Amino acid sequence: MPTVIVFGNPDLPMDSLPLRLVPELKKQFPETAFLVLDPNEEWPFDAARGESGEFTVIDTVLGIEKITVFDDLDHFTVAPRLSVHDFDALAYMLYLRKLGKVKKVAVIGIPPTATPDKVIATLATRLSELQRASRSS
């Protein structure tokens, strides 16, 4: 069963949209497990990435105006880390990649100004495309 990791903060309107889309995504993709995780806690990666070392993330991404698929973590700018409290999702994924636990990550970025009705169809299309590509490789 494919697994998609979903990040978001339910307390911040600009960061909560990925979480609010999960119920509709579950209806559209019943064979996909949507794993809602806190980016600042330990993640059960074995369940998310399977044997391939690949996984998909849905998250809010600053600086974009439309849903965008990022196929490489190097597309993102690393925020300065002054303490272990600044160790965010990107830092953790980069760390796991460096350890060889993660081979490929696809991030479906949702703009912070998006609304559910405007993005759900595009998000579903991008997720379908990624899942098809994953099955064929």
Side-chain angles (χ1 to χ4, degrees), residues 47-88:
R49 67 182 169 87
E51 294 300 315
S52 67
E54 299 180 8
F55 63 97
T56 301
V57 170
I58 297 174
D59 196 5
T60 302
V61 174
L62 298 175
I64 60 173
E65 295 182 19
K66 62 181 184 171
I67 288 184
T68 305
V69 176
F70 300 91
D71 60 0
D72 190 336
L73 294 175
D74 294 328
H75 291 292
F76 296 96
T77 303
V78 178
R81 290 186 296 278
L82 305 174
S83 75
V84 294
H85 299 287
D86 296 322
F87 201 74
D88 61 4

Side-chain angles (χ1 to χ4, degrees), residues 2-122:
T3 301
V4 175
I5 295 172
V6 182
F7 294 129
N9 184 336
D11 299 325
L12 296 175
M14 71 175 277
D15 194 27
S16 65
L17 183 55
L19 302 176
R20 291 184 282 136
L21 295 173
V22 169
E24 180 60 30
L25 290 171
K26 284 182 177 181
K27 288 180 196 171
Q28 292 188 32
F29 297 90
E31 279 88 42
T32 299
F34 291 91
L35 191 59
V36 175
L37 298 177
D38 183 331
N40 297 313
E41 294 182 6
E42 189 170 339
W43 308 339
F45 263 97
D46 291 336
R49 67 182 169 87
E51 294 300 315
S52 67
E54 299 180 8
F55 63 97
T56 301
V57 170
I58 297 174
D59 196 5
T60 302
V61 174
L62 298 175
I64 60 173
E65 295 182 19
K66 62 181 184 171
I67 288 184
T68 305
V69 176
F70 300 91
D71 60 0
D72 190 336
L73 294 175
D74 294 328
H75 291 292
F76 296 96
T77 303
V78 178
R81 290 186 296 278
L82 305 174
S83 75
V84 294
H85 299 287
D86 296 322
F87 201 74
D88 61 4
L90 176 60
Y92 192 46
M93 288 187 284
L94 289 168
Y95 175 68
L96 290 170
R97 183 177 72 179
K98 187 173 184 174
L99 292 175
K101 294 182 181 259
V102 170
K103 292 184 178 84
K104 184 176 179 185
V105 178
V107 177
I108 302 175
I110 299 175
T113 57
T115 58
D117 55 320
K118 302 265 187 202
V119 298
I120 191 67
T122 304

